[in-house]
Amino acid sequence: EKRNIIDQTHTQLQLADDVQAEVAQRIEDAQAQASSFIATMCFSSNIPASIAHLLKPISYETFGPSDALFESLNDWYDVIEVVKYNLIETGITKSSNHDFGYGLAIYLCAAYLLKQPILLTGHKAKDIAIAFAHAIDRGRYGELNCLGEYDHSAVHNIGKNHEKIVLLNNLITSNWINRAHELFAKPKVFFIATHSFKEDLQVEPISLYNYVLPLITEFMVDQDKQVAYELSSLSNELESSNTNDNYDDEANISFSKLGLSPMVERNINRLSSTMMGIEQKALASESCDKRNMLKIQELLTVLPLAYCTQTLYQIKDDILLHRQDDHEYMEINQRVRYLFRD
């Protein structure tokens, strides 16, 4: 009887091993068949509609808004402070002589108000865009991956979650760039295209900048950190505010030397005017440093366009001001001087 029990146990163990081996083989066969099927479908023009969506990469997603506590901002001073804080958290420079976060915060707020599309290029570009979304709309934003052929349905979905900020990935390296006029035709959305390498912008057609203004992050970033962002939202009053009625022709002393199109000139003028207006509303008039604001405008609007169009030599004397008595200007010059190397 003891022998029978041992034999039965052995038989059951062998059966378990056989079943396990058979299951493993069938799983392996199923995986191989699935891989083969998907590979075949990728090269087939007759993909069944019932599975076509499974083979297609996700083009558009939305994120947020966060459910955490947030503050609705009613004053431009508070807006700039929150945006600046979030930007510094991404790694934007904050030094004793110059606060790049302040200038970039004003630039982004101005572009947001105007819904002026920008091409944010360089280190931390995507982090900067997300940090801005946390300050302006509680972390709510859309993200469009410009992969494959132009996707009408994905573009149609933009804004359906009430997102006002949309990130564009791979825009200038895809065929989607040829549909820029259609893609940017959403007046209530602020588009931020992101790209990693500034050098790529010099081979793009200059007419691209009729649709989107470039902004280089490289000289503003010297940290590699990211922690929790502050959450806030723009009040309805600020969302609809008009801050571009105080434009000064002096604001872009280098602009006329670049020889760009009237559309680019118009977009820069509007952006510069709005930047000036935001700072005037954020700070008391007696504390506004107009000279500093003009310098910020040149660094964030004129300098990137000059780099992209390879006309830096035209504005070198204006950008690299030789002021040995001004530590702030000296630091800025040191940070951007590398752009002018031959």
Side-chain angles (χ1 to χ4, degrees), residues 122 142 195 206 277 318 333:
H195 191 69
I206 295 178
D318 293 330
N333 294 347

Side-chain angles (χ1 to χ4, degrees), residues 3-230:
R3 181 64 183 176
N4 289 338
I5 294 175
I6 293 175
D7 290 342
Q8 291 176 4
T9 302
H10 178 75
T11 301
Q12 291 174 350
L13 289 174
Q14 184 62 47
L15 177 61
D17 289 341
D18 292 343
V19 170
Q20 184 177 7
E22 180 66 21
V23 170
Q25 184 61 46
R26 292 196 179 190
I27 290 175
E28 182 178 349
D29 292 343
Q31 290 175 333
Q33 292 173 8
S35 300
S36 176
F37 174 74
I38 293 174
T40 301
M41 288 297 96
C42 289
F43 292 96
S44 173
S45 59
N46 298 313
I47 301 176
S50 59
I51 66 167
H53 69 285
L54 299 176
L55 304 177
K56 187 176 181 180
I58 297 175
S59 293
Y60 187 66
E61 293 183 274
T62 57
F63 302 87
S66 172
D67 293 329
L69 293 176
F70 71 96
E71 182 179 1
S72 179
L73 303 176
N74 299 291
D75 181 87
W76 278 115
Y77 177 84
D78 295 331
V79 174
I80 299 305
E81 287 299 305
V82 174
V83 175
K84 181 178 73 171
Y85 173 85
N86 284 359
L87 293 176
I88 292 173
E89 291 303 304
T90 69
I92 294 295
T93 301
K94 184 179 183 348
S95 70
S96 58
N97 291 325
H98 189 78
D99 186 353
F100 282 100
Y102 173 75
L104 183 55
I106 293 177
Y107 176 100
L108 291 174
C109 287
Y112 173 80
L113 277 187
L114 297 171
K115 301 302 183 283
Q116 168 61 55
I118 63 173
L119 176 53
L120 200 55
T121 306
H123 190 46
K124 306 294 256 182
K126 186 173 180 179
D127 290 336
I128 289 170
I130 294 175
F132 181 70
H134 278 73
I136 295 297
D137 197 19
R138 294 186 292 154
R140 174 166 43 194
Y141 65 94
E143 188 168 359
L144 181 64
N145 295 307
C146 303
L147 303 172
E149 296 300 317
Y150 186 81
D151 189 339
H152 290 276
S153 62
V155 175
H156 180 71
N157 287 331
I158 292 177
K160 287 191 173 181
N161 193 38
H162 305 291
E163 66 275 17
K164 303 169 186 175
I165 299 171
V166 171
L167 281 59
L168 304 176
N169 300 326
N170 311 307
L171 176 63
I172 67 172
T173 58
S174 70
N175 291 329
W176 289 55
I177 195 64
N178 297 320
R179 307 293 286 271
H181 63 287
E182 182 177 342
L183 178 59
F184 293 136
K186 288 185 175 288
K188 296 183 178 180
V189 174
F190 175 38
F191 288 99
I192 305 177
T194 61
H195 191 69
S196 298
F197 308 110
K198 70 180 188 306
E199 292 81 5
D200 293 340
L201 303 187
Q202 293 188 329
V203 299
E204 293 298 321
I206 295 178
S207 55
L208 168 66
Y209 306 116
N210 288 324
Y211 300 101
V212 57
L213 292 179
L215 176 60
I216 298 172
T217 67
E218 202 172 69
F219 61 86
M220 293 184 284
V221 178
D222 65 359
Q223 302 290 325
D224 191 14
K225 63 176 183 175
Q226 181 175 337
V227 296
Y229 300 127
E230 285 195 10

